[in-house]
Amino acid sequence: MSEIISVRRRRLVLGLGAGAGSLLLGGCDRLSSLPQTQSVLLSAQWLTRGAQRALVGRDSLAPEYTRADIAPVFRANGTLDPDNPQYQALAANGFKDWRLKVDGLLESPKEFSLDDIRSMPAQTQITRHDCVEGWSCIGQWTGPRLRDVLARVVPKPQARYVMFFCADPMDHHGDYYYESIDMRTAAHPQTLLAYALNGERLPIKYGAPLRLRLGRQLGYKMAKYVMHIRLVSSYRPFGQGRGGYWEDQGYSWYAGI
Ligand SMILES: Nc1nc2c(c(=O)[nH]1)N[C@H]1C(S)=C(S)[C@@H](COP(=O)(O)O)O[C@H]1N2
Ligand SMILES: [Mo]
């Protein structure tokens, strides 16, 4: 089955790219000035998902960079400090009482403390973050691979998607930021649950205490302030049914780069 990548994204990339460029902090680039990204994003607008996958290679590794490439100031975007009293209380106590709940279609539901997560074998990778608004930024991220965390809870064969529920409310009706990826993206070696940026504990504006990092998808997929992970067979029952907060506003569920 083919799926046309949303036309709305083209408008965002082409329309906002120029304007957003003038607002950038040092060390972050306009996406449109990077020829490789530009051609991939442009091609994604009219290729079917199947053709795009064949061209870009969903399972291939995103480029990794050197320390010299790290942006002096990583740009923060979206929620910068969740307007949520429970989250604020957890933050005030250094996230000692924070627990990552992992449940759904798996054999052994678990709750992980931050120390549990920090004691797992970690990856450190310097990768580029590409936002749909037309900017990109290179940073160094550290945390366990999602697939290693999932191995501890033992997914059932019916599990097709990983849902991420976040601490930041997005409106006054009790809707929170959320996202979803499929098991194939969850198993990718560059899919991390990151607790550090540039060697420091993740600051609040970048999603403390834990956020998702993907090698090959756009920024909005990378949920910050992750509180709860659930394995599901379908993302339709959640939110407006399109798999994520921005998807519910019309963005494409698959945001490959
Ligand atoms: N919980 C949550 N996650 C989020 C967002 C958000 O507003 N809330 N914004 C998304 C978008 S659009 C981008 S570009 C990145 C920004 O991450 P950064 O602040 O580390 O740059 O987070 C993504 N994840
Ligand atoms: Mo974004």
Side-chain angles (χ1 to χ4, degrees), residues 232-255:
V232 299
S233 59
S234 166
Y235 52 71
R236 301 282 172 211
F238 304 96
Q240 307 294 311
R242 294 182 181 176
Y245 172 76
W246 281 112
E247 288 85 336
D248 286 339
Q249 324 299 315
Y251 286 20
S252 173
W253 178 80
Y254 181 64

Side-chain angles (χ1 to χ4, degrees), residues 77 129-133 135 219-220:
N77 201 35
H129 177 108
D130 295 329
C131 175
V132 73
E133 292 167 1
W135 54 272
Y220 64 85

Side-chain angles (χ1 to χ4, degrees), residues 74-79 129 131 166 168 177 206 211 219 222 224:
F74 197 88
R75 185 164 162 172
N77 201 35
T79 301
H129 177 108
C131 175
C166 308
D168 48 330
Y177 201 96
Y206 306 112
R211 67 99 48 93
M222 299 188 222
K224 311 199 281 191

Side-chain angles (χ1 to χ4, degrees), residues 24-231:
L24 291 184
L25 298 169
C28 298
D29 295 305
R30 276 179 58 187
L31 202 51
S32 52
S33 65
L34 299 165
Q36 192 195 349
T37 312
Q38 190 179 39
S39 64
V40 170
L41 286 173
L42 291 177
S43 66
Q45 287 148 25
W46 51 270
L47 288 176
T48 63
R49 191 197 289 187
Q52 190 195 29
R53 183 181 296 175
L55 189 76
V56 179
R58 267 190 67 186
D59 301 322
S60 66
L61 293 177
E64 296 198 13
Y65 297 83
T66 68
R67 295 193 67 87
D69 300 316
I70 294 174
V73 180
F74 197 88
R75 185 164 162 172
N77 201 35
T79 301
L80 304 180
D81 191 9
D83 180 14
N84 172 345
Q86 275 174 295
Y87 175 86
Q88 293 295 338
L90 293 170
N93 195 25
F95 297 105
K96 285 188 189 68
D97 301 321
W98 173 91
R99 294 291 179 275
L100 174 69
K101 189 194 214 182
V102 186
D103 64 7
L105 295 172
L106 41 82
E107 301 296 343
S108 50
K110 279 192 178 29
E111 289 197 355
F112 296 86
S113 69
L114 201 48
D115 283 343
D116 293 336
I117 299 281
R118 288 196 192 118
S119 68
M120 293 186 64
Q123 299 292 311
T124 291
Q125 62 193 27
I126 302 175
T127 48
R128 200 182 66 212
H129 177 108
D130 295 329
C131 175
V132 73
E133 292 167 1
W135 54 272
S136 69
C137 222
I138 293 173
Q140 182 194 60
W141 301 92
T142 302
R145 286 177 167 142
L146 178 60
R147 68 187 191 195
D148 292 342
V149 175
L150 294 183
R152 300 211 173 180
V153 295
V154 194
K156 291 185 174 170
Q158 308 94 284
R160 293 188 59 205
Y161 300 99
V162 187
M163 309 287 313
F164 300 87
F165 300 106
C166 308
D168 48 330
M170 299 307 284
D171 60 24
H172 302 296
H173 308 292
D175 288 339
Y176 291 78
Y177 201 96
Y178 76 104
E179 257 304 337
S180 60
I181 58 174
D182 59 17
M183 294 307 277
R184 184 169 159 182
T185 295
H188 189 285
Q190 287 170 321
T191 297
L192 308 185
L193 289 177
Y195 52 74
L197 170 62
N198 299 337
E200 308 284 338
R201 281 188 184 185
L202 201 57
I204 286 182
K205 59 183 170 178
Y206 306 112
L210 198 68
R211 67 99 48 93
L212 180 64
R213 287 294 311 170
L214 307 173
R216 304 220 60 112
Q217 295 206 44
L218 289 171
Y220 64 85
K221 297 296 291 185
M222 299 188 222
K224 311 199 281 191
Y225 316 112
V226 176
M227 305 295 287
H228 179 186
I229 291 177
R230 178 174 287 174
L231 299 190

